Amino acid sequence: MFIKNKTLAASVLTLGLLAGCGKDYLSLQPRNAVTTETFYKTETDAIQATTAAYSQLSQYGMFNYSLWGIGDIMSDNSNTGGGGASDGIEFQQLDNYSIPTTNPLTSTHWQRAYLGVGQANQVLARVPAIEMSATLKTRCLGEAAFLRALYYFYLVRGFGDVPLVLTPAQTAAEVSNITRTPAAQVYTQIITDLQDAITKLPASYTGDDVGRATKWSATALLAKVYLTQGNMANAATQARAVISGSGKTMWANYADNFKVENENGQESLFEVQFKNGLSNYSQDGPGATINEFWGARFFGSPYVVASGGYGFNVPEKEFVDGYEPGDLRKQATVWVPGDVYPAGQIQPASLPGDPFGFNVRKFFVGTVNVNNWDSPLNVPVLRLAEMYLILAEAVGPTAEGLEAINKVRRRAFGLPINTPSAKDLAITSAASFKDAVLRERRYELAFEMDRWYDLKRTGTLVSTMKAKGKTGVQEFNNLLPIPQTELNVNPNLTQNPGY
Protein backbone atom coordinates (compact mmCIF):
# COMPACT_ATOMS: atom_id res chain seq x y z
CA MET A 1 0.00 0.00 0.00
CA PHE A 2 1.68 3.15 -1.17
CA ILE A 3 1.40 5.40 1.88
CA LYS A 4 2.24 2.50 4.16
CA ASN A 5 5.53 1.79 2.40
CA LYS A 6 6.84 5.22 1.42
CA THR A 7 8.58 7.79 3.60
CA LEU A 8 8.04 11.29 2.20
CA ALA A 9 10.36 14.20 2.80
CA ALA A 10 8.64 16.71 5.03
CA SER A 11 9.76 19.44 2.69
CA VAL A 12 7.47 18.14 -0.04
CA LEU A 13 4.47 18.79 2.17
CA THR A 14 5.25 22.49 2.50
CA LEU A 15 5.15 23.24 -1.21
CA GLY A 16 1.36 23.47 -1.35
CA LEU A 17 0.70 25.49 1.79
CA LEU A 18 -0.03 28.87 0.23
CA ALA A 19 -3.55 28.04 -0.86
CA GLY A 20 -6.19 29.70 1.27
CA CYS A 21 -5.06 28.75 4.78
CA GLY A 22 -4.67 30.69 7.98
CA LYS A 23 -1.79 32.75 9.26
CA ASP A 24 -0.01 29.89 11.00
CA TYR A 25 0.15 27.98 7.74
CA LEU A 26 1.17 30.98 5.67
CA SER A 27 4.25 31.51 7.82
CA LEU A 28 5.73 28.09 7.06
CA GLN A 29 8.82 28.05 4.89
CA PRO A 30 10.17 25.23 2.72
CA ARG A 31 12.72 23.08 4.53
CA ASN A 32 16.12 21.90 3.35
CA ALA A 33 16.09 24.56 0.61
CA VAL A 34 13.44 22.65 -1.30
CA THR A 35 11.44 25.11 -3.43
CA THR A 36 9.52 25.01 -6.68
CA GLU A 37 12.80 26.04 -8.32
CA THR A 38 14.68 22.99 -7.03
CA PHE A 39 11.78 20.52 -6.89
CA TYR A 40 9.31 19.39 -9.60
CA LYS A 41 12.21 18.47 -11.86
CA THR A 42 12.08 14.69 -12.08
CA GLU A 43 9.63 11.83 -12.28
CA THR A 44 10.44 10.97 -8.67
CA ASP A 45 9.57 14.54 -7.64
CA ALA A 46 6.22 14.25 -9.41
CA ILE A 47 5.33 10.98 -7.72
CA GLN A 48 6.41 12.22 -4.27
CA ALA A 49 4.42 15.43 -4.63
CA THR A 50 1.35 13.53 -5.75
CA THR A 51 1.66 11.09 -2.85
CA ALA A 52 2.04 13.99 -0.42
CA ALA A 53 -1.29 15.42 -1.58
CA TYR A 54 -3.05 12.49 0.12
CA SER A 55 -1.56 13.36 3.52
CA GLN A 56 -4.19 15.84 4.70
CA LEU A 57 -6.75 13.05 4.76
CA SER A 58 -4.79 11.29 7.49
CA GLN A 59 -2.01 13.09 9.34
CA TYR A 60 -3.78 15.10 12.05
CA GLY A 61 -6.20 15.68 9.26
CA MET A 62 -9.72 15.04 8.31
CA PHE A 63 -10.18 11.32 8.96
CA ASN A 64 -7.82 11.33 11.93
CA TYR A 65 -9.44 14.21 13.81
CA SER A 66 -12.07 16.57 12.44
CA LEU A 67 -14.36 14.33 10.41
CA TRP A 68 -15.48 12.01 13.18
CA GLY A 69 -16.50 15.03 15.21
CA ILE A 70 -18.45 16.50 12.31
CA GLY A 71 -19.72 13.40 10.54
CA ASP A 72 -20.55 11.30 13.62
CA ILE A 73 -20.83 13.32 16.82
CA MET A 74 -22.84 16.12 15.18
CA SER A 75 -25.30 13.47 14.00
CA ASP A 76 -27.84 11.26 15.73
CA ASN A 77 -25.49 8.27 15.68
CA SER A 78 -23.29 9.14 18.64
CA ASN A 79 -22.46 11.39 21.58
CA THR A 80 -19.13 12.85 22.63
CA GLY A 81 -18.40 10.38 25.45
CA GLY A 82 -14.92 10.78 26.91
CA GLY A 83 -14.10 11.47 30.53
CA GLY A 84 -16.66 14.03 31.60
CA ALA A 85 -17.63 17.69 31.40
CA SER A 86 -14.09 19.00 30.95
CA ASP A 87 -12.97 16.37 28.43
CA GLY A 88 -13.13 16.94 24.70
CA ILE A 89 -14.67 20.41 24.86
CA GLU A 90 -14.27 20.87 21.10
CA PHE A 91 -16.34 17.72 20.50
CA GLN A 92 -18.95 18.74 23.05
CA GLN A 93 -19.39 22.05 21.27
CA LEU A 94 -20.26 20.20 18.07
CA ASP A 95 -22.42 17.68 19.90
CA ASN A 96 -24.51 20.41 21.57
CA TYR A 97 -24.57 22.77 18.58
CA SER A 98 -22.93 25.57 20.56
CA ILE A 99 -20.09 25.98 18.08
CA PRO A 100 -17.78 29.00 18.39
CA THR A 101 -15.91 30.28 15.36
CA THR A 102 -12.72 29.19 17.12
CA ASN A 103 -13.68 25.51 17.41
CA PRO A 104 -10.46 23.50 16.74
CA LEU A 105 -12.26 20.77 14.79
CA THR A 106 -13.94 23.02 12.24
CA SER A 107 -10.78 25.14 11.98
CA THR A 108 -8.58 22.10 11.39
CA HIS A 109 -11.08 20.74 8.88
CA TRP A 110 -10.89 23.93 6.81
CA GLN A 111 -7.12 24.29 7.09
CA ARG A 112 -6.25 20.70 6.27
CA ALA A 113 -8.65 20.56 3.33
CA TYR A 114 -7.10 23.71 1.88
CA LEU A 115 -3.62 22.35 2.47
CA GLY A 116 -4.71 19.37 0.39
CA VAL A 117 -6.12 21.67 -2.29
CA GLY A 118 -2.83 23.55 -2.35
CA GLN A 119 -0.80 20.38 -2.74
CA ALA A 120 -3.08 19.16 -5.54
CA ASN A 121 -2.82 22.55 -7.26
CA GLN A 122 0.96 22.35 -7.17
CA VAL A 123 0.88 18.96 -8.89
CA LEU A 124 -1.56 20.16 -11.52
CA ALA A 125 0.50 23.27 -12.20
CA ARG A 126 4.06 21.88 -12.03
CA VAL A 127 3.96 18.28 -13.22
CA PRO A 128 2.97 18.99 -16.86
CA ALA A 129 6.39 20.58 -17.50
CA ILE A 130 8.39 17.64 -16.10
CA GLU A 131 10.05 15.30 -18.59
CA MET A 132 8.85 11.89 -17.45
CA SER A 133 6.84 8.86 -18.48
CA ALA A 134 3.66 10.04 -20.18
CA THR A 135 1.69 7.30 -18.46
CA LEU A 136 2.92 8.28 -15.00
CA LYS A 137 2.39 11.97 -15.72
CA THR A 138 -1.20 11.32 -16.72
CA ARG A 139 -1.74 9.28 -13.59
CA CYS A 140 -0.29 11.95 -11.31
CA LEU A 141 -2.53 14.59 -12.85
CA GLY A 142 -5.54 12.31 -12.48
CA GLU A 143 -4.76 11.66 -8.81
CA ALA A 144 -4.38 15.38 -8.14
CA ALA A 145 -7.67 16.16 -9.87
CA PHE A 146 -9.44 13.49 -7.80
CA LEU A 147 -7.93 14.74 -4.55
CA ARG A 148 -8.74 18.38 -5.26
CA ALA A 149 -12.33 17.34 -5.93
CA LEU A 150 -12.46 15.31 -2.73
CA TYR A 151 -11.10 18.14 -0.59
CA TYR A 152 -13.50 20.63 -2.13
CA PHE A 153 -16.41 18.21 -1.68
CA TYR A 154 -15.81 18.22 2.07
CA LEU A 155 -15.30 21.98 2.11
CA VAL A 156 -18.44 22.92 0.21
CA ARG A 157 -20.65 20.44 2.06
CA GLY A 158 -19.38 21.72 5.39
CA PHE A 159 -19.05 25.46 4.87
CA GLY A 160 -21.18 26.28 1.81
CA ASP A 161 -19.65 29.02 -0.32
CA VAL A 162 -15.86 28.66 -0.07
CA PRO A 163 -12.92 30.21 -1.92
CA LEU A 164 -12.25 28.31 -5.14
CA VAL A 165 -8.49 28.24 -5.61
CA LEU A 166 -7.29 26.45 -8.73
CA THR A 167 -3.69 27.63 -9.04
CA PRO A 168 -0.84 27.81 -6.52
CA ALA A 169 -0.91 31.09 -4.60
CA GLN A 170 2.43 32.88 -4.79
CA THR A 171 2.21 35.27 -1.85
CA ALA A 172 0.43 35.71 1.46
CA ALA A 173 -1.17 38.85 0.03
CA GLU A 174 -2.86 36.80 -2.68
CA VAL A 175 -4.28 34.46 -0.09
CA SER A 176 -5.50 37.27 2.15
CA ASN A 177 -7.63 38.76 -0.65
CA ILE A 178 -9.52 35.62 -1.63
CA THR A 179 -13.32 35.81 -1.53
CA ARG A 180 -15.91 33.06 -1.19
CA THR A 181 -17.18 31.38 -4.37
CA PRO A 182 -20.85 30.35 -4.72
CA ALA A 183 -21.32 26.69 -3.83
CA ALA A 184 -22.85 25.93 -7.24
CA GLN A 185 -19.63 27.05 -8.93
CA VAL A 186 -17.54 24.95 -6.55
CA TYR A 187 -19.66 21.90 -7.38
CA THR A 188 -19.19 22.58 -11.09
CA GLN A 189 -15.43 22.48 -10.60
CA ILE A 190 -15.64 19.30 -8.51
CA ILE A 191 -17.54 17.59 -11.32
CA THR A 192 -15.07 18.87 -13.91
CA ASP A 193 -12.13 17.56 -11.88
CA LEU A 194 -13.74 14.16 -11.39
CA GLN A 195 -14.62 13.81 -15.06
CA ASP A 196 -11.00 14.66 -15.86
CA ALA A 197 -9.73 12.16 -13.28
CA ILE A 198 -11.88 9.38 -14.72
CA THR A 199 -10.16 9.77 -18.09
CA LYS A 200 -6.66 9.81 -16.58
CA LEU A 201 -6.66 7.24 -13.78
CA PRO A 202 -6.07 3.49 -14.15
CA ALA A 203 -8.73 1.00 -13.12
CA SER A 204 -6.44 -0.66 -10.56
CA TYR A 205 -2.89 -0.85 -9.21
CA THR A 206 -0.39 -3.45 -8.06
CA GLY A 207 2.35 -3.51 -5.45
CA ASP A 208 3.14 -0.38 -3.47
CA ASP A 209 0.74 1.69 -5.57
CA VAL A 210 -2.35 -0.13 -4.28
CA GLY A 211 -4.44 2.41 -2.40
CA ARG A 212 -4.02 5.29 -4.83
CA ALA A 213 -7.14 6.77 -6.39
CA THR A 214 -8.45 4.83 -9.40
CA LYS A 215 -10.87 5.53 -12.20
CA TRP A 216 -13.50 3.85 -10.05
CA SER A 217 -12.67 6.01 -7.04
CA ALA A 218 -13.42 9.07 -9.16
CA THR A 219 -16.57 7.56 -10.67
CA ALA A 220 -17.88 6.59 -7.23
CA LEU A 221 -17.19 10.05 -5.83
CA LEU A 222 -18.93 11.59 -8.83
CA ALA A 223 -22.01 9.48 -8.09
CA LYS A 224 -21.99 10.78 -4.51
CA VAL A 225 -21.54 14.38 -5.65
CA TYR A 226 -24.53 14.10 -8.00
CA LEU A 227 -26.60 12.52 -5.21
CA THR A 228 -25.70 15.40 -2.89
CA GLN A 229 -26.82 17.87 -5.56
CA GLY A 230 -30.09 16.01 -6.06
CA ASN A 231 -29.16 15.11 -9.64
CA MET A 232 -30.62 11.62 -9.42
CA ALA A 233 -30.33 10.69 -13.08
CA ASN A 234 -26.58 11.29 -13.16
CA ALA A 235 -26.09 9.76 -9.73
CA ALA A 236 -27.73 6.57 -10.97
CA THR A 237 -25.64 6.55 -14.15
CA GLN A 238 -22.36 6.82 -12.25
CA ALA A 239 -23.37 4.28 -9.59
CA ARG A 240 -24.36 1.80 -12.30
CA ALA A 241 -21.01 2.32 -14.01
CA VAL A 242 -19.14 1.41 -10.81
CA ILE A 243 -21.35 -1.59 -10.06
CA SER A 244 -21.07 -3.04 -13.56
CA GLY A 245 -17.57 -1.98 -14.56
CA SER A 246 -15.29 -1.83 -11.53
CA GLY A 247 -14.98 -5.57 -11.00
CA LYS A 248 -15.63 -4.97 -7.31
CA THR A 249 -17.84 -7.29 -5.28
CA MET A 250 -19.29 -7.02 -1.80
CA TRP A 251 -17.73 -9.11 0.93
CA ALA A 252 -20.06 -11.91 1.98
CA ASN A 253 -19.42 -10.87 5.59
CA TYR A 254 -19.99 -7.19 6.39
CA ALA A 255 -17.28 -7.23 9.09
CA ASP A 256 -14.64 -8.18 6.53
CA ASN A 257 -14.64 -4.55 5.33
CA PHE A 258 -12.95 -3.52 8.56
CA LYS A 259 -10.06 -5.93 8.92
CA VAL A 260 -6.43 -4.97 8.41
CA GLU A 261 -5.82 -7.99 6.21
CA ASN A 262 -8.63 -6.90 3.85
CA GLU A 263 -7.54 -3.30 3.30
CA ASN A 264 -8.07 -1.97 -0.24
CA GLY A 265 -9.96 -5.19 -0.84
CA GLN A 266 -12.74 -6.45 -3.05
CA GLU A 267 -15.40 -3.96 -1.89
CA SER A 268 -13.13 -0.94 -1.48
CA LEU A 269 -13.30 1.98 -3.90
CA PHE A 270 -11.16 4.40 -1.91
CA GLU A 271 -9.64 4.33 1.58
CA VAL A 272 -7.53 6.62 3.72
CA GLN A 273 -4.27 4.75 4.23
CA PHE A 274 -2.77 4.20 7.68
CA LYS A 275 0.09 2.13 9.08
CA ASN A 276 1.55 1.32 12.49
CA GLY A 277 5.15 1.34 13.60
CA LEU A 278 5.52 4.38 15.84
CA SER A 279 5.60 4.27 19.63
CA ASN A 280 4.94 7.89 20.53
CA TYR A 281 1.80 9.98 20.72
CA SER A 282 1.42 11.92 17.51
CA GLN A 283 -1.68 12.75 15.52
CA ASP A 284 0.65 13.74 12.70
CA GLY A 285 2.09 10.24 12.39
CA PRO A 286 1.19 7.63 9.79
CA GLY A 287 -1.21 5.70 12.04
CA ALA A 288 -4.92 6.09 12.79
CA THR A 289 -5.81 7.45 16.22
CA ILE A 290 -9.41 6.27 16.38
CA ASN A 291 -8.62 2.82 17.82
CA GLU A 292 -7.42 4.65 20.94
CA PHE A 293 -9.88 7.55 20.93
CA TRP A 294 -12.94 5.37 20.43
CA GLY A 295 -11.81 2.46 22.62
CA ALA A 296 -13.55 1.71 25.92
CA ARG A 297 -12.23 4.25 28.40
CA PHE A 298 -9.36 2.86 30.52
CA PHE A 299 -11.13 -0.47 30.71
CA GLY A 300 -9.87 -4.01 31.17
CA SER A 301 -6.88 -5.80 32.59
CA PRO A 302 -4.93 -5.42 30.44
CA TYR A 303 -6.58 -2.41 28.84
CA VAL A 304 -8.55 -3.33 25.73
CA VAL A 305 -6.32 -0.91 23.81
CA ALA A 306 -2.79 0.12 24.70
CA SER A 307 -2.49 2.92 27.25
CA GLY A 308 -6.25 2.78 27.84
CA GLY A 309 -8.96 3.99 25.50
CA TYR A 310 -10.51 7.44 25.72
CA GLY A 311 -14.14 6.47 25.10
CA PHE A 312 -15.07 9.18 22.59
CA ASN A 313 -17.70 8.93 19.84
CA VAL A 314 -20.05 6.78 21.95
CA PRO A 315 -22.95 5.19 20.01
CA GLU A 316 -26.32 6.74 20.82
CA LYS A 317 -28.75 4.39 22.59
CA GLU A 318 -31.51 5.06 20.06
CA PHE A 319 -29.09 4.13 17.28
CA VAL A 320 -28.10 0.84 18.94
CA ASP A 321 -31.70 -0.04 19.81
CA GLY A 322 -32.68 0.62 16.20
CA TYR A 323 -30.93 -2.41 14.73
CA GLU A 324 -33.40 -4.93 13.34
CA PRO A 325 -33.28 -8.37 14.98
CA GLY A 326 -30.73 -10.52 13.17
CA ASP A 327 -28.80 -7.62 11.62
CA LEU A 328 -25.20 -8.85 11.72
CA ARG A 329 -23.89 -5.32 11.27
CA LYS A 330 -24.65 -4.62 14.92
CA GLN A 331 -22.03 -7.05 16.21
CA ALA A 332 -19.49 -5.72 13.72
CA THR A 333 -20.19 -2.07 14.50
CA VAL A 334 -20.70 -1.63 18.27
CA TRP A 335 -19.55 -3.09 21.55
CA VAL A 336 -22.49 -3.70 23.89
CA PRO A 337 -22.50 -4.93 27.50
CA GLY A 338 -21.49 -8.59 27.70
CA ASP A 339 -19.41 -8.62 24.52
CA VAL A 340 -16.07 -10.39 24.98
CA TYR A 341 -12.82 -8.84 23.75
CA PRO A 342 -10.02 -10.95 22.22
CA ALA A 343 -8.06 -10.92 25.50
CA GLY A 344 -11.13 -12.00 27.48
CA GLN A 345 -12.30 -8.68 28.91
CA ILE A 346 -16.09 -8.32 29.05
CA GLN A 347 -17.74 -5.06 28.01
CA PRO A 348 -19.26 -3.59 31.19
CA ALA A 349 -22.74 -2.17 31.67
CA SER A 350 -21.37 1.36 31.86
CA LEU A 351 -18.13 3.32 31.58
CA PRO A 352 -17.16 6.96 32.16
CA GLY A 353 -18.87 8.98 29.44
CA ASP A 354 -20.63 5.81 28.36
CA PRO A 355 -23.67 5.20 30.62
CA PHE A 356 -25.12 2.41 28.48
CA GLY A 357 -21.91 0.46 27.96
CA PHE A 358 -21.56 1.15 24.24
CA ASN A 359 -18.41 1.75 22.20
CA VAL A 360 -17.64 1.74 18.49
CA ARG A 361 -16.28 -1.65 17.43
CA LYS A 362 -15.97 -1.15 13.68
CA PHE A 363 -12.40 0.20 13.75
CA PHE A 364 -11.22 -1.68 16.83
CA VAL A 365 -7.77 -3.22 16.43
CA GLY A 366 -6.75 -3.80 20.03
CA THR A 367 -3.23 -3.68 21.38
CA VAL A 368 -0.95 -3.99 18.37
CA ASN A 369 1.70 -1.50 19.40
CA VAL A 370 3.16 0.36 22.35
CA ASN A 371 0.26 2.73 21.92
CA ASN A 372 -2.56 2.74 19.44
CA TRP A 373 -2.47 6.29 18.27
CA ASP A 374 -0.68 4.30 15.63
CA SER A 375 -3.36 1.88 14.44
CA PRO A 376 -2.76 0.37 10.97
CA LEU A 377 -6.42 0.05 10.01
CA ASN A 378 -7.51 2.08 6.98
CA VAL A 379 -10.71 4.12 6.98
CA PRO A 380 -13.04 3.56 4.00
CA VAL A 381 -14.26 6.61 2.12
CA LEU A 382 -16.15 4.88 -0.70
CA ARG A 383 -17.39 1.28 -0.78
CA LEU A 384 -19.36 -0.70 -3.34
CA ALA A 385 -22.28 -1.13 -0.92
CA GLU A 386 -22.77 2.63 -0.95
CA MET A 387 -23.02 2.56 -4.74
CA TYR A 388 -25.98 0.18 -4.43
CA LEU A 389 -27.60 2.54 -1.93
CA ILE A 390 -26.95 5.57 -4.14
CA LEU A 391 -28.53 3.72 -7.05
CA ALA A 392 -31.53 2.76 -4.91
CA GLU A 393 -32.09 6.31 -3.71
CA ALA A 394 -31.62 7.72 -7.20
CA VAL A 395 -34.12 5.47 -9.01
CA GLY A 396 -36.65 5.04 -6.20
CA PRO A 397 -38.93 2.03 -5.62
CA THR A 398 -38.47 0.58 -9.08
CA ALA A 399 -37.45 -3.02 -9.60
CA GLU A 400 -33.86 -1.80 -9.99
CA GLY A 401 -34.01 0.30 -6.82
CA LEU A 402 -35.56 -2.44 -4.73
CA GLU A 403 -33.00 -4.99 -5.88
CA ALA A 404 -30.16 -2.56 -5.12
CA ILE A 405 -31.20 -1.90 -1.52
CA ASN A 406 -32.06 -5.54 -0.96
CA LYS A 407 -28.57 -6.65 -1.97
CA VAL A 408 -27.24 -4.58 0.91
CA ARG A 409 -29.91 -5.86 3.30
CA ARG A 410 -29.36 -9.51 2.42
CA ARG A 411 -25.67 -9.25 3.24
CA ALA A 412 -26.59 -7.54 6.53
CA PHE A 413 -28.60 -10.60 7.55
CA GLY A 414 -26.00 -13.12 6.41
CA LEU A 415 -27.68 -14.06 3.13
CA PRO A 416 -26.30 -14.27 -0.43
CA ILE A 417 -26.86 -10.85 -1.96
CA ASN A 418 -28.48 -12.28 -5.11
CA THR A 419 -30.93 -14.55 -3.27
CA PRO A 420 -34.38 -13.09 -2.47
CA SER A 421 -35.19 -13.32 1.22
CA ALA A 422 -37.82 -12.56 3.81
CA LYS A 423 -35.83 -9.46 4.73
CA ASP A 424 -36.32 -7.92 1.29
CA LEU A 425 -38.18 -4.63 1.19
CA ALA A 426 -41.21 -4.35 -1.08
CA ILE A 427 -42.05 -0.67 -0.64
CA THR A 428 -43.93 1.12 -3.42
CA SER A 429 -44.35 4.58 -1.88
CA ALA A 430 -41.59 6.95 -3.01
CA ALA A 431 -41.41 8.73 0.36
CA SER A 432 -41.38 5.52 2.37
CA PHE A 433 -38.75 4.02 0.11
CA LYS A 434 -36.49 7.05 0.48
CA ASP A 435 -36.84 6.81 4.26
CA ALA A 436 -35.90 3.13 4.04
CA VAL A 437 -32.81 3.89 1.96
CA LEU A 438 -31.67 6.60 4.37
CA ARG A 439 -32.16 4.23 7.28
CA GLU A 440 -30.13 1.60 5.44
CA ARG A 441 -27.37 4.15 4.83
CA ARG A 442 -27.37 4.97 8.54
CA TYR A 443 -26.63 1.38 9.55
CA GLU A 444 -24.51 0.32 6.59
CA LEU A 445 -22.20 3.36 6.81
CA ALA A 446 -22.33 3.89 10.58
CA PHE A 447 -19.24 5.63 12.01
CA GLU A 448 -17.72 6.07 8.57
CA MET A 449 -18.07 9.80 9.28
CA ASP A 450 -20.92 10.47 6.86
CA ARG A 451 -24.21 10.64 8.76
CA TRP A 452 -24.28 14.44 9.38
CA TYR A 453 -23.94 15.02 5.65
CA ASP A 454 -26.93 12.76 4.96
CA LEU A 455 -29.06 14.67 7.46
CA LYS A 456 -28.01 17.96 5.87
CA ARG A 457 -28.65 17.01 2.27
CA THR A 458 -32.09 15.58 3.06
CA GLY A 459 -33.19 18.63 5.05
CA THR A 460 -33.76 16.60 8.22
CA LEU A 461 -30.87 17.80 10.40
CA VAL A 462 -32.80 20.13 12.71
CA SER A 463 -35.83 17.91 13.22
CA THR A 464 -33.70 14.82 13.78
CA MET A 465 -31.35 16.45 16.27
CA LYS A 466 -34.16 18.15 18.18
CA ALA A 467 -35.85 14.76 18.51
CA LYS A 468 -32.54 13.50 19.94
CA GLY A 469 -32.72 16.24 22.59
CA LYS A 470 -30.20 18.61 21.02
CA THR A 471 -32.35 21.70 21.57
CA GLY A 472 -29.57 24.10 20.59
CA VAL A 473 -29.61 23.09 16.93
CA GLN A 474 -30.95 25.68 14.48
CA GLU A 475 -31.28 25.92 10.72
CA PHE A 476 -28.04 27.85 10.39
CA ASN A 477 -26.22 24.80 11.79
CA ASN A 478 -26.59 23.17 8.37
CA LEU A 479 -23.31 24.99 7.73
CA LEU A 480 -20.17 25.12 9.87
CA PRO A 481 -18.66 28.43 10.97
CA ILE A 482 -15.88 29.91 8.86
CA PRO A 483 -12.83 29.67 11.18
CA GLN A 484 -12.02 32.88 13.01
CA THR A 485 -8.35 32.49 12.14
CA GLU A 486 -9.27 32.84 8.47
CA LEU A 487 -11.46 35.89 9.05
CA ASN A 488 -8.66 37.53 11.03
CA VAL A 489 -6.19 37.37 8.15
CA ASN A 490 -8.62 37.89 5.27
CA PRO A 491 -11.08 40.80 5.50
CA ASN A 492 -12.70 39.66 2.26
CA LEU A 493 -14.07 36.49 3.87
CA THR A 494 -17.55 36.63 5.38
CA GLN A 495 -19.00 34.53 8.19
CA ASN A 496 -21.91 32.13 7.73
CA PRO A 497 -25.19 33.48 9.15
CA GLY A 498 -25.87 32.67 12.79
CA TYR A 499 -22.25 32.49 13.96
Side-chain angles (χ1 to χ4, degrees):
M1 302 171 194
F2 75 100
I3 292 179
K4 294 176 185 285
N5 291 329
K6 292 185 182 291
T7 301
L8 299 175
S11 56
V12 176
L13 302 180
T14 68
L15 293 176
L17 297 181
L18 292 178
C21 299
K23 192 172 184 178
D24 291 343
Y25 290 84
L26 294 174
S27 66
L28 293 175
Q29 297 297 320
R31 303 169 191 168
N32 301 325
V34 175
T35 68
T36 53
E37 285 70 42
T38 60
F39 198 70
Y40 293 105
K41 300 298 183 183
T42 68
E43 181 172 284
T44 298
D45 293 346
I47 295 171
Q48 284 191 336
T50 303
T51 303
Y54 289 82
S55 64
Q56 307 309 326
L57 298 173
S58 56
Q59 295 180 358
Y60 191 55
M62 299 160 70
F63 287 85
N64 224 11
Y65 179 56
S66 63
L67 260 177
W68 53 272
I70 296 167
D72 289 342
I73 291 174
M74 285 186 73
S75 81
D76 54 340
N77 280 4
S78 60
N79 295 312
T80 297
S86 63
D87 196 16
I89 296 298
E90 68 270 36
F91 294 99
Q92 293 185 44
Q93 291 170 346
L94 299 186
D95 198 356
N96 296 316
Y97 284 88
S98 57
I99 311 170
T101 60
T102 55
N103 179 273
L105 291 155
T106 55
S107 297
T108 297
H109 193 59
W110 171 287
Q111 291 165 347
R112 289 292 176 156
Y114 270 113
L115 284 170
V117 167
Q119 290 169 321
N121 283 343
Q122 290 283 3
V123 172
L124 292 166
R126 312 294 183 191
V127 167
I130 297 176
E131 292 187 11
M132 58 184 291
S133 159
T135 299
L136 279 176
K137 179 184 291 189
T138 298
R139 191 194 81 186
C140 287
L141 296 174
E143 289 178 82
F146 168 82
L147 289 168
R148 185 168 71 179
L150 181 63
Y151 288 124
Y152 270 124
F153 187 47
Y154 279 102
L155 283 164
V156 73
R157 287 193 298 166
F159 299 98
D161 298 348
V162 293
L164 183 62
V165 184
L166 301 177
T167 58
Q170 301 302 311
T171 67
E174 288 181 16
V175 174
S176 65
N177 289 312
I178 291 171
T179 60
R180 296 174 71 178
T181 304
Q185 188 175 336
V186 178
Y187 272 112
T188 296
Q189 184 61 48
I190 290 170
I191 292 169
T192 297
D193 278 345
L194 290 174
Q195 290 172 336
D196 183 43
I198 289 168
T199 67
K200 289 182 167 66
L201 290 171
S204 62
Y205 296 93
T206 58
D208 287 350
D209 288 320
V210 171
R212 293 183 182 273
T214 69
K215 167 185 176 179
W216 301 114
S217 307
T219 308
L221 183 57
L222 185 56
K224 192 163 184 171
V225 170
Y226 281 133
L227 182 79
T228 301
Q229 289 187 302
N231 187 335
M232 297 306 185
N234 280 335
T237 296
Q238 300 304 321
R240 285 190 198 104
V242 176
I243 291 167
S244 64
S246 67
K248 295 290 184 176
T249 57
M250 288 169 58
W251 291 103
N253 180 0
Y254 174 78
D256 283 345
N257 282 291
F258 314 105
K259 296 178 179 178
V260 174
E261 60 267 29
N262 292 337
E263 290 175 336
N264 304 303
Q266 66 186 49
E267 189 170 329
S268 172
L269 294 165
F270 186 69
E271 300 178 4
V272 177
Q273 309 290 306
F274 290 106
K275 74 171 186 178
N276 64 7
L278 295 180
S279 59
N280 61 328
Y281 287 92
S282 173
Q283 286 179 303
D284 245 333
T289 65
I290 56 179
N291 182 59
E292 182 91 7
F293 272 84
W294 299 4
R297 189 173 183 86
F298 300 116
F299 168 70
S301 180
Y303 289 140
V304 295
V305 296
S307 306
Y310 301 150
F312 286 106
N313 202 22
V314 173
E316 170 73 28
K317 187 176 188 300
E318 176 272 332
F319 167 81
V320 177
D321 290 346
Y323 277 100
E324 294 177 61
D327 190 337
L328 300 178
R329 293 175 297 196
K330 181 178 181 179
Q331 185 178 17
T333 303
V334 296
W335 294 105
V336 301
D339 282 347
V340 181
Y341 286 89
Q345 308 97 323
I346 300 175
Q347 181 79 354
S350 66
L351 283 165
D354 184 8
F356 300 106
F358 302 141
N359 290 109
V360 177
R361 185 175 192 166
K362 182 176 278 188
F363 297 105
F364 175 83
V365 177
T367 300
V368 296
N369 238 341
V370 175
N371 75 71
N372 284 324
W373 279 40
D374 202 26
S375 167
L377 185 59
N378 290 352
V379 175
V381 179
L382 296 161
R383 294 193 283 113
L384 185 66
E386 186 177 8
M387 295 301 105
Y388 281 111
L389 294 177
I390 288 175
L391 179 59
E393 186 175 347
V395 302
T398 61
E400 182 182 34
L402 285 163
E403 181 59 14
I405 190 175
N406 286 327
K407 284 180 184 293
V408 175
R409 286 180 57 81
R410 290 169 200 154
R411 195 261 298 272
F413 292 94
L415 300 165
I417 66 170
N418 294 315
T419 302
S421 81
K423 294 294 184 180
D424 282 4
L425 297 178
I427 297 172
T428 58
S429 161
S432 296
F433 183 73
K434 184 173 182 179
D435 288 344
V437 175
L438 292 173
R439 184 201 174 282
E440 210 62 40
R441 285 183 63 88
R442 185 185 187 191
Y443 285 94
E444 177 66 27
L445 305 175
F447 308 109
E448 295 177 43
M449 311 179 197
D450 204 55
R451 174 66 174 172
W452 184 69
Y453 298 100
D454 270 353
L455 295 176
K456 276 170 43 70
R457 72 176 176 83
T458 56
T460 58
L461 176 66
V462 173
S463 59
T464 299
M465 297 313 295
K466 283 188 179 296
K468 184 184 175 182
K470 304 298 180 180
T471 56
V473 66
Q474 299 182 55
E475 286 296 335
F476 72 80
N477 294 128
N478 278 282
L479 294 176
L480 303 171
I482 305 299
Q484 191 62 46
T485 52
E486 307 302 320
L487 298 174
N488 290 344
V489 299
N490 185 353
N492 290 324
L493 284 181
T494 56
Q495 184 57 269
N496 281 325
Y499 293 103

